[in-house]
Structure formats: C-alpha cells, structure tokens
C-alpha cells in the first residue's frame, strides 16, 4: 500500500514532503500505530498527521458497541431473522403488509456496511411492533401453515415479547438515529475539521447524559413489552473453593434488572463513549495547533504570539514566526473592524481572505522568505534610486559569481 501511495503521488508530480495529513478508515492495516500505512507514511514525513475518516468512522463506532454486548448482538440477529422470515415468502409478506395497513413503511433489511439501514430497521420495528407480533401470532396459530413456519413464527414471537428485546429496540432506535444524523452531516463536502470536532463533542455529551437515564428507557420498554420482567438466570451456580479467611456472604448476586443494566446497558454506553473519545482525540490532536485562528478576534496579543510560536515550532519549514505573527495581528484588526461574529469557521475565514483580496499575503512555497536585512537593503536601493540607476549590474554579477563559485583551482 505504501508503494502504491508513493507511486501515485509521483505520477501526479506531488512530493510526499508536502503532505500535511492522512485520512483513512480505522482498519488496523491503515491506522496501525506501528505497522499501519499511516505509520509508514509518517516515517517519511512526520508532519503527515493521521486522522480517521470522519465520513465513515461512526459506522465502526456502532459496530464496536454492538460487538461488546451479547444482548445487542442477539437483538440485531433477531431483527435480521425477522426480515428474512417474512421476505422469504410472498404469502407471509402479504399477510404482514395486510396487518401493517401501510405501503410506505415496511420491515427493513440490515446492511453489513451501511449502518443507516439499521436505523431504518429500528424505526420500522418500533413503529409496527404490535402489528408484527400480531402477525407472528396469527401464523403460529394457523393450522393451514406448514409446521416449520408455525414453529419459526413461535420462536420469533417469544424473542420479541421479551422485555430485553423491547428495551434494545428503543435504545438502539435512539442511538442509531443520532449517529445517522451526525454521519450525514460529516459527509458534507463543505464540512471542515473544526466542525467535525464539535459534532463529536455533541455526540459524546449526549451519550454520557444517557448513562443515568436507564429508568426512562425501562419505562418505555415496560409499557410496550408483553413480558414485563427481566429474564433471570436459572442455571445452577458453580461452587468455588473458598479460602479459610473468606466466606460466601461476600458473594454478590445481581437481580435480572441490575444484571441487564450493568452488563448490557452501561457496557453499550461506555463502549460508545470510548470509541467516540478515541476518534475525537485524533481530530483534536490535528486541530489544536490551528484552532486558535477560528477565535482570533477575541484573543489578546500575547495569546496570539504564544499560539503562533507553538504552530511555527511544528511547521518550521512552512511558516516564518515573525511574519506570521504580524499577519495574524493585522488580520485580527480586520475581523474586529468589519465583522460581528465572535467565532469563524475555516471556510468563513477563507471567504473573508478572498473577499478582501488578502490571498497574496498568504505565504506559500511560491513566495521566497524575505528577512529584515534584505528589506533594509531594498529600502536603501529604493531611497537612493538615482545612484542605483548608475550602477553597472554586470560588474556586480561578476563579483557575486566569483564569491559564490565552488570551483577549485587545480594546481
């Protein structure tokens, strides 16, 4: 993969030394800290900072959250099984559609790659929960149906009557709706990295706020579920050897409710938070050196100097500190005098630069570095323009060549 990237850049006449960022999905072969593609590129250019692909990263957040909980994994297997059961027969599908009394909303199939399909599946399941159970019950009790169909319908009905399944439908309906909304915003072609960071912050705060909201989800689930109690563990408890200084009185036995809350609900919430935080840290690390520019208008001069110095230390070959600091102070004055906003997006700042014809002030590799000594010399040449016009430039060029010549005299 490394060779493929380098060959492509070479064919486009782009130097890897000009790379300032990498964005891939979070698969280990791409994002691995030691052997991933991003690590191989950073060996060639340490300034090529890696961030996860924002447009698809939330899919993996949801995947990891489901995989951490058996109850969540089983729930989505049940949802897929339900769709397969009805869609596998036009007869059963027609009975379902008759009971739903709607042609616009039907059961949705899960997709292995597109997590928005899971949001659609949860929405349709929550909207038609009672009608779906009614249809399963009709098929189960219809003696004209094959025994295999009746048994499969009975099994599905029992799974979807459980309180845990109803709880999962409501919880994942809420989570996937929020993930889907943010994911669509992240796929906008006009989005910039600072907005990505803000969206992740909003998602993290939302997920954390739900950690103590178990009772609210439970109330909604109990109202709709046919079975109002949690499944209890009926298997015989394994006896373990107890040291002489311990007793069995210290053993903690969780109720069905607490077992579900701790090992399913809180596990899902904490896994979601952990995965979101990991990606947020990558975006923050990338954004932090530049983020002060978005709030430039409200910063003091010493704060601007400090932030500019830190940025210049990272990008030594790209930015001249003294000139950059002066440009920032000048730009801040423009923002204060002409604009009312307190904070600016990156796109808004670029729009201001182009609108005010400031793009020629942006330092690029096309502009040569001009230090104070050269500026003083050019000023003298301008002031003494009459003398400058009388100078024989051929003689000056000859003197310059003789001083800079690297040829050695052979004896």
């Amino acid at each position: 993969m490394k060779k493929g990237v380098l060959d492509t850049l070479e064919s486009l006449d782009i130097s890897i030394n000009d790379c300032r960022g990498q964005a891939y999905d979070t698969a280990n072969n791409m994002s691995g800290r030691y052997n991933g593609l991003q690590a191989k590129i950073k060996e060639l250019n340490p300034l090529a900072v890696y961030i996860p692909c924002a447009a698809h990263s939330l899919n993996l957040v949801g995947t990891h959250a489901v995989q951490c909980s058996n109850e969540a994994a089983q729930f989505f297997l049940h949802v897929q099984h339900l769709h397969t059961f009805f869609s596998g027969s036009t007869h059963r599908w027609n009975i379902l559609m008759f009971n739903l009394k709607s042609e616009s909303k039907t059961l949705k199939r899960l997709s292995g790659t597109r997590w928005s399909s899971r949001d659609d599946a949860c929405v349709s399941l929550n909207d038609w929960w009672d009608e779906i159970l009614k249809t399963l019950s009709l098929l189960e009790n219809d003696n004209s149906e094959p025994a295999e169909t009746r048994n499969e319908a009975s099994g599905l009905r029992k799974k979807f009557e459980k309180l845990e399944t109803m709880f999962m439908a409501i919880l994942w309906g809420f989570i996937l709706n929020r993930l889907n909304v943010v994911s669509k915003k992240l796929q906008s072609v006009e989005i910039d990295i600072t907005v990505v960071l803000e969206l992740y912050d909003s998602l993290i705060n939302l997920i954390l706020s739900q950690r103590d909201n178990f009772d609210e989800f439970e109330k909604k689930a109990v109202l709709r579920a046919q079975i109002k109690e949690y499944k209890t563990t009926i298997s015989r408890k394994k006896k373990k050897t107890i040291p002489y200084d311990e007793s069995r009185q210290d053993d903690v036995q969780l109720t069905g409710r607490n077992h579900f809350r701790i090992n399913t609900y809180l596990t899902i919430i904490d896994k979601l938070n952990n995965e979101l935080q990991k990606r947020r840290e990558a975006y923050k690390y990338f954004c932090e050196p530049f983020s002060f520019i978005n709030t430039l208008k409200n910063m003091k001069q010493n704060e601007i100097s400090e932030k500019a110095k830190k940025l210049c230390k990272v990008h030594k070959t790209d930015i001249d500190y003294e000139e950059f600091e002066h440009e920032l102070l000048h730009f801040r004055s423009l923002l204060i005098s002409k604009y009312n906003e307190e904070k600016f997006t990156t796109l808004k700042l670029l729009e201001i630069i182009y609108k005010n014809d400031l793009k020629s002030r942006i330092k690029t590799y096309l502009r040569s570095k001009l230090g104070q000594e050269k500026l003083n010399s050019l000023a003298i040449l301008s002031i003494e323009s009459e003398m400058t016009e009388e100078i024989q430039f051929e003689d000056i060029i000859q003197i310059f060549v003789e001083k800079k010549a690297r040829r050695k005299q052979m004896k």
Side-chain angles (χ1 to χ4, degrees):
M1 290 187 293
K2 174 185 172 183
K3 185 178 184 302
V5 170
L6 296 177
D7 289 345
T8 301
L9 291 176
E10 185 178 355
S11 67
L12 297 172
D13 196 23
I14 299 174
S15 172
I16 189 64
N17 294 323
D18 294 332
C19 179
R20 294 296 177 268
Q22 307 175 69
Y24 318 113
D25 60 31
T26 52
N28 286 333
N29 63 335
M30 306 298 287
S31 64
R33 184 175 296 182
Y34 303 107
N35 294 315
L37 176 61
Q38 66 96 5
K40 300 296 183 182
I41 297 297
K42 285 191 75 172
E43 288 176 359
L44 300 175
N45 180 5
L47 293 178
V49 180
Y50 165 74
I51 58 173
C53 175
H56 301 94
S57 193
L58 288 182
N59 282 352
L60 293 171
V61 169
T63 300
H64 293 313
V66 170
Q67 290 173 348
C68 77
S69 166
N70 289 334
E71 198 72 49
Q74 288 175 8
F75 167 72
F76 284 108
L77 287 175
H78 296 339
V79 173
Q80 183 60 34
H81 186 188
L82 184 69
H83 181 272
T84 303
F85 173 71
F86 283 111
S87 63
S89 165
T90 55
H91 168 65
R92 294 194 292 268
W93 188 262
N94 289 334
I95 294 174
L96 175 65
M97 295 305 295
F98 176 79
N99 287 317
L100 294 184
K101 297 181 174 62
S102 173
E103 295 182 359
S104 59
K105 290 186 178 181
T106 61
L107 285 180
K108 302 295 183 181
R109 180 178 63 87
L110 301 186
S111 170
T113 56
R114 202 168 54 86
W115 266 72
S116 60
S117 69
R118 296 178 185 249
D119 178 32
D120 296 336
C122 284
V123 169
S124 62
L125 186 63
N126 285 316
D127 286 346
W128 303 108
W129 187 271
D130 295 333
E131 289 79 4
I132 291 169
L133 286 178
K134 178 183 176 182
T135 306
L136 289 172
S137 182
L138 287 172
L139 291 169
E140 177 187 357
N141 297 311
D142 188 350
N143 292 327
S144 64
E145 295 289 339
E148 183 180 353
T149 298
R150 285 185 279 124
N151 288 330
E152 193 170 357
S154 176
L156 284 168
R157 177 187 60 78
K158 291 175 182 178
K159 290 172 183 176
F160 281 91
E161 282 183 346
K162 292 194 304 180
L163 177 58
E164 290 88 345
T165 307
M166 184 73 255
F167 193 108
M168 286 286 99
I170 295 173
L171 175 63
W172 281 106
F174 170 77
I175 291 173
L176 290 173
N177 175 262
R178 293 299 88 203
L179 291 179
N180 193 31
V181 169
V182 173
S183 182
K184 288 179 180 178
K185 290 183 179 179
L186 291 175
Q187 294 176 44
S188 170
V189 295
E190 297 180 351
I191 199 168
D192 66 66
I193 193 69
T194 56
V195 178
V196 171
L197 193 58
E198 290 172 358
L199 288 173
Y200 266 80
D201 283 338
S202 68
L203 262 182
I204 290 169
N205 291 333
L206 177 66
I207 294 300
L208 287 177
S209 70
Q210 302 307 309
R211 205 173 189 280
D212 299 322
N213 208 26
F214 177 83
D215 292 344
E216 293 300 317
F217 285 107
E218 185 183 51
K219 286 178 184 178
K220 294 177 182 178
V222 169
L223 284 174
R224 300 193 64 184
Q226 275 65 36
I227 299 175
K228 308 294 184 181
E229 296 180 358
Y230 295 95
K231 181 179 70 174
T232 56
T233 304
I234 60 174
S235 59
R236 182 170 63 87
K237 185 179 179 181
K238 294 181 180 179
K239 290 184 178 181
K240 63 179 181 179
T241 304
I242 300 176
Y244 69 91
D245 57 343
E246 294 182 10
S247 67
R248 295 188 186 276
Q249 294 178 355
D250 297 329
D251 289 353
V252 177
Q253 294 185 3
L254 296 175
T255 63
R257 180 180 187 273
N258 283 334
H259 184 275
F260 182 82
R261 184 178 69 86
I262 293 170
N263 295 316
T264 299
Y265 179 76
L266 293 181
T267 300
I268 292 171
I269 295 297
D270 290 343
K271 187 63 175 180
L272 282 169
N273 176 53
N274 182 53
E275 292 296 325
L276 289 170
Q277 289 282 7
K278 275 200 310 186
R279 287 157 178 78
R280 181 194 177 279
E281 286 303 311
Y283 298 128
K284 182 182 178 183
Y285 178 78
F286 184 84
C287 279
E288 200 165 23
F290 306 93
S291 60
F292 73 95
I293 299 176
N294 299 96
T295 57
L296 193 65
K297 183 179 177 180
N298 301 318
M299 295 179 67
K300 297 178 181 178
Q301 183 167 338
N302 62 329
E303 293 175 331
I304 294 174
S305 300
E306 183 181 347
K307 295 288 186 181
K309 186 177 293 185
K310 287 183 179 179
L311 182 58
C312 291
K313 282 183 179 179
V314 177
H315 296 274
K316 296 177 182 178
T317 59
D318 297 331
I319 309 172
D320 177 74
Y321 167 65
E322 186 175 344
E323 185 176 354
F324 183 56
E325 181 188 12
H326 295 164
E327 292 281 4
L328 288 174
L329 293 173
H330 197 167
F331 191 48
R332 183 191 65 162
S333 300
L334 173 69
L335 297 177
I336 292 173
S337 61
K338 294 186 66 175
Y339 298 92
N340 297 322
E341 294 95 324
E342 297 298 320
K343 187 177 181 180
F344 300 85
T345 65
T346 306
L347 291 176
K348 179 64 177 178
L349 290 174
L350 288 173
E351 181 184 333
I352 292 171
I353 289 171
Y354 273 81
K355 187 176 180 181
N356 292 276
D357 197 24
L358 301 176
K359 54 186 179 292
S360 59
R361 301 172 67 94
I362 300 175
K363 194 168 184 67
T364 68
Y365 73 96
L366 295 175
R367 289 183 60 197
S368 60
K369 181 177 177 182
L370 204 60
Q372 191 63 41
E373 185 179 350
K374 286 185 179 180
L375 284 172
N376 291 337
S377 299
L378 288 173
I380 293 172
L381 289 173
S382 177
I383 293 168
E384 305 293 344
S385 58
E386 293 182 0
M387 293 180 61
T388 303
E389 292 174 357
E390 296 176 359
I391 294 176
Q392 297 296 322
F393 290 103
E394 290 80 2
D395 297 336
I396 295 175
I397 292 171
Q398 184 60 36
I399 294 171
F400 177 82
V401 170
E402 290 175 357
K403 284 185 176 182
K404 299 294 181 180
R406 295 183 180 179
R407 291 178 297 174
K408 292 185 178 181
Q409 297 293 329
M410 302 295 293
K411 294 182 180 179

